[in-house]
Structures are given as structure tokens and as C-alpha cells.
Amino acid sequence: MSLSGCSSGEKERKLPEPEVEVGAARDAGDGQELRLPLDPYFASPVQAEILDRAQGVLKAKCMKRYGFSYAPPPLPKTDPVEGIGNRYGISDPAVAAKFGYGGPDAGVQAEEPPLGEKESFVLNGPEELDPDSLPDSQEEVDALAAGGSAKMVNGVAVPPGGCLRESFLKLYAPQAGAVDIIFTQNLERESFARSRSDSRVKEAASAWSACMRKSGYEVSDPMNPGNELNLTEDLSGEEAVATAVKDVDCKKRTNFIRRWFEVESAYQREILEREAETLKKAKAEHEARMRLAASLVK
């Protein structure tokens, strides 16, 4: 019998991916100064706000074509996240001492202004619209309009998905073949998942867990110890604050944040090399997007 063969009922085993090489981790503090290799391919918190405002301007411009005066609802006020934020669990001692595992009240997005039937149709497109049938780029939308297949309101063709979809496409996919923003998000999810299952991150988590145990906390998940300790009903209560303060202290004592950061950075550098061509295109498109957005909100 050949050793290379396998029986019909035996499933082929998938070997685990080798772990990346990682250098020695330096002290990280609370992680506010850390930047991952993929960060330049995403909008910063300030840029994200500019993009949201620009999309509002594009929606208003689109609605104006149909004779409607439209003002997008104001954006909620939020505090920009510094560095990696809570990517590897709570890490800021000041936040832990003030809010525990909770946080400042998140801003609530204001509701859209009341709209008439035609206004709603122009803004959102038909209610029965199949999202999978929508064009993937503004270039495709323009081609449909030129073909005369679009529905009309006040004598003007309504883009598929309405002004809401148009405002998105003009920013994020003006031309056919644009890199989907989900592409880079998926790469970031990949690096996080691979790093979280890495033996060195698990080792760091064990060190953090041992530190917590010395203070009487039996926890194993640095991402969500509050859940393990049943603190979810009062994330900013006295007990949650005390636990969160110790959590952050143990992360600092074991250099947990920097150890995980170094591992994920190594995986991201590997991804950057693997996806270099597409990421180069994505970065150029992001820069063009920011130039357009800046011109709209100036």
C-alpha cells in the first residue's frame, strides 16, 4: 500500500500555517502611539469625519437635481481613537479608572428629516430594491442612465439606490474596478485572527491571566474579562472599575499590548508583501478620495 495514498473515508488534514518571525517587544505603555502597518490604507478618525461630511454634501447635491432641498442630519460627536485604541482589550489607565469597561456615551446619529414619497424614492431608491443588483461603480450608473433604463422623477433619471448610493459610489467607487473598501478591512480581520491564535499571543495572555489571578481574578480572555466576571450589567460600576484598573495594570506589567502588537504587525507585513499590487492601488484611490472629500467640505 502506498504511504502517499489515503482511504476514501479519510479527510485530508490541513496543516496549520507557520507562525511569522517576530522580534523582541519593546514596552508599549497604553498603546496610544502604536500604528499597525496596514493603518495607512485606512481613513484616520479625522479623515473618516471628513468623508462622512463629504458624503452628506454629495447627497444634498444629488437631491437638488430633482428640485428637493435636503440637509443631511448632523453627525454624532465622537472622541477620536488614538493609536490602536482597545484593539487588544482596554489599555488606557485613565479610561479604566473613570469608566471601567464602559465608556463615554456614544453619540447618537440623528434621524433623517421627514421626507415625502418622491423625496424618499430619490434619496433611497425603491423599497423593494435588491442590494445585489446595484451597480458597483458610478461609471456603471452613468452608463445605465445613458441607456435610458433609469426611473424618472421630475424629469430626471434616478440612480439605482438613489442619492444615498450615488454619494457612496462617487466617493468610494467612481470607476469600474475600484478596490472595494471591504478588501482592506478583510485583510485587517485576517491579521487580527491569525495573531490572536498565535502561540506568542497566547503566551502573553497566560502571563496577563496569571497577573490577574494574583489579585483574585480568575480570567483568561484579555479582550473581555468583564464578561467572564459577569460585570456586563454595570460596566462602569465600582467593581467593574476596580477590575478594569487591575486589568490595565497587568497588561502593562506583562507588556501584553506590545507583545500582541508586534505579532500582528509581523502578520500585517506579510500581508502587505502578499497583496502589494492591490494595496498600492487602494492607497492611491484613498488619496484621491480624500482630495475629493476635502474639496467638498472646504
Side-chain angles (χ1 to χ4, degrees), residues 29-32 84-94 96 248 251 257:
D30 58 17
Q32 291 188 15
I84 57 174
N86 290 341
R87 186 171 182 81
Y88 309 131
I90 188 170
S91 60
D92 188 325
V248 172
K251 284 192 173 103
I257 298 296

Side-chain angles (χ1 to χ4, degrees), residues 19-148:
E19 295 183 339
V20 293
E21 293 185 10
V22 179
R26 294 167 288 170
D27 179 61
D30 58 17
Q32 291 188 15
E33 80 286 1
L34 299 179
R35 300 292 184 275
L36 286 160
L38 279 174
D39 282 358
Y41 299 89
F42 294 91
S44 68
V46 172
Q47 289 177 327
E49 182 180 345
I50 293 172
L51 288 168
D52 285 341
R53 289 169 55 203
Q55 193 166 352
V57 171
L58 288 171
K59 281 193 286 186
K61 284 177 174 286
C62 177
M63 294 290 284
K64 190 175 181 180
R65 294 204 307 266
Y66 303 88
F68 300 124
S69 177
Y70 172 82
L75 297 170
K77 292 187 178 296
T78 57
D79 293 325
V81 176
E82 296 292 336
I84 57 174
N86 290 341
R87 186 171 182 81
Y88 309 131
I90 188 170
S91 60
D92 188 325
V95 171
K98 187 174 183 179
F99 299 108
Y101 289 107
D105 292 335
V108 178
Q109 174 65 55
E111 294 183 2
E112 290 280 358
L115 300 174
E117 185 177 347
K118 282 189 176 181
E119 286 177 291
S120 181
F121 179 84
V122 171
L123 180 63
N124 301 302
E127 291 183 3
E128 69 279 5
L129 187 69
D130 178 11
D132 293 333
S133 70
L134 291 172
D136 293 325
S137 69
Q138 185 60 35
E139 187 177 15
E140 294 175 57
V141 172
D142 293 340
L144 285 174

Side-chain angles (χ1 to χ4, degrees), residues 212-258:
M212 293 290 285
R213 190 178 302 114
K214 290 178 181 178
S215 296
Y217 299 105
E218 287 292 338
V219 287
S220 60
D221 183 6
M223 292 291 296
N224 195 7
N227 187 54
E228 291 183 87
L229 296 171
N230 297 316
L231 299 174
T232 53
E233 293 298 319
D234 191 2
L235 293 173
S236 295
E238 185 177 343
E239 185 179 358
V241 167
T243 307
V245 168
K246 187 59 187 178
D247 178 354
V248 172
D249 179 61
C250 279
K251 284 192 173 103
K252 184 170 184 178
R253 286 174 181 273
T254 59
N255 204 18
F256 174 81
I257 298 296
R258 187 75 191 216

